[in-house]
Amino acid sequence: MSWSLTNWHRNRILQHEGIADAVWQKLIHLRCLKGLNPEELLRLRECATLFLHDKKFYGAHELEITDEMRATIALQACILILNLDLDYYRNWSQIIVYPGEFMLDYDYEDEFGIVHHVQHAASGEAWSDGPVILSWQDAAEPASHVGENVVIHEFAHKIDMLYEGPNGCPELHANMSAYTWHEVFSTAYKKFCRQVDRQQETVIDPYAAESPAEFFAVLSEVFFELPLVTQEHFPSVYEQLALFYRQDPAKRWR
């Protein structure tokens, strides 16, 4: 963990701004935290505390943000970087929380120069240099649709956006092969898109076929929420995600 904090400053934050025990005990049973050992749980709690020190939460539509809500989001966001670094969430500070789904309304230009207008309901949105926007209803109940986790999804986008924009390939570690990553993800993505095009039943959300960036975000969700399923149906992708996140949740679940 860095964010250029001195040990004194870091320890002061952990001592005075830590997640309350009552809140912590309620949240350690989140599905994505299953199987974490005591040492990992301690590091996660510290990571989430430092995350909360850095980020500002704003409630939309007069939603009152409580300490438990902040901690709920922080723990799910920080499971991704448990063995990485807080710098993966650098250069932005705002998290906007709506009571439920919210409307996205924007224009975008496609590869042919045609401008399209988009308007649809969403449970999450991440901006490259801006905020993360979340539906509290979905963030609070990630297990209501098993395998889906809007917080993990949007924060996976944030990680992806740090390197060459949202393209499904975050900045890889020195011990990883960019060629292998692209081969594994491209092969799996094309196969998955064919399944969706043929309207075949899929083990993950068909929304993953929208783009390589969405494929990475959805696979990051199920990597933590349904690791054994991910390992069974996307073994090569699971291996790459385990190398990147430096975690093996399937092993924790056994």
Side-chain angles (χ1 to χ4, degrees):
M1 303 176 189
S2 61
W3 273 344
S4 301
L5 295 173
T6 65
N7 286 337
W8 178 87
H9 190 192
R10 178 181 180 278
N11 290 337
R12 186 172 178 82
I13 293 169
L14 295 176
Q15 181 179 356
H16 296 284
E17 302 178 32
I19 298 170
D21 288 341
V23 172
W24 173 252
Q25 291 301 322
K26 288 181 66 175
L27 299 180
I28 59 174
H29 302 295
L30 288 167
R31 184 182 180 90
C32 62
L33 310 186
K34 181 177 177 179
L36 291 175
N37 63 39
E39 187 272 336
E40 290 170 326
L41 287 170
L42 175 60
R43 284 194 291 111
L44 179 65
R45 189 173 184 175
E46 292 180 348
C47 183
T49 298
L50 297 173
F51 174 92
L52 289 171
H53 174 79
D54 186 72
K55 306 305 179 190
K56 305 299 181 186
F57 285 71
Y58 299 92
H61 295 174
E62 300 183 350
L63 178 67
E64 181 178 352
I65 304 297
T66 66
D67 287 344
E68 183 175 332
M69 293 166 69
R70 294 170 71 248
T72 300
I73 292 169
L75 289 173
Q76 294 176 78
C78 288
I79 187 62
L80 284 84
I81 59 169
L82 177 63
N83 294 329
L84 300 177
D85 195 282
L86 287 163
D87 277 349
Y88 279 89
Y89 296 151
R90 65 185 181 271
N91 299 333
W92 60 276
S93 62
Q94 296 183 346
I95 299 172
I96 301 170
V97 186
Y98 281 78
E101 286 190 335
F102 51 91
M103 291 301 298
L104 293 178
D105 192 341
Y106 61 91
D107 296 324
Y108 77 94
E109 185 175 323
D110 67 19
E111 58 189 296
F112 304 107
I114 300 173
V115 176
H116 303 266
H117 181 73
V118 175
Q119 186 177 51
H120 63 89
S123 58
E125 178 82 347
W127 296 3
S128 292
D129 297 313
V132 171
I133 308 172
L134 298 167
S135 153
W136 172 242
Q137 181 179 2
D138 294 279
E141 301 175 2
S144 59
H145 295 89
V146 177
E148 297 181 15
N149 186 308
V150 67
V151 180
I152 289 177
H153 185 103
E154 298 307 330
F155 280 86
H157 277 317
K158 274 294 192 183
I159 291 171
D160 187 16
M161 289 171 178
L162 278 176
Y163 181 64
E164 297 182 349
N167 60 7
C169 181
E171 186 171 11
L172 303 178
H173 309 306
N175 67 331
M176 297 182 68
S177 164
Y179 174 81
T180 301
W181 178 282
H182 286 292
E183 282 294 302
V184 166
F185 270 83
S186 294
T187 300
Y189 177 64
K190 290 174 183 176
K191 179 180 179 180
F192 183 75
C193 288
R194 288 195 295 269
Q195 289 180 299
V196 173
D197 289 342
R198 295 168 182 167
Q199 298 184 330
Q200 297 175 347
E201 185 176 355
T202 59
V203 296
I204 64 172
D205 189 346
Y207 183 66
E210 287 289 310
S211 69
E214 296 299 346
F215 189 68
F216 169 71
V218 171
L219 262 297
S220 292
E221 289 180 72
V222 294
F223 178 76
F224 289 102
E225 291 280 336
L226 291 174
L228 296 176
V229 173
T230 310
Q231 190 176 54
E232 177 183 358
H233 294 276
F234 299 91
S236 297
V237 170
Y238 183 93
E239 181 180 350
Q240 290 300 303
L241 290 174
L243 286 171
F244 176 72
Y245 288 118
R246 293 172 174 162
Q247 297 186 59
D248 188 355
K251 185 178 180 179
R252 295 199 294 254
W253 279 50
R254 291 192 176 93

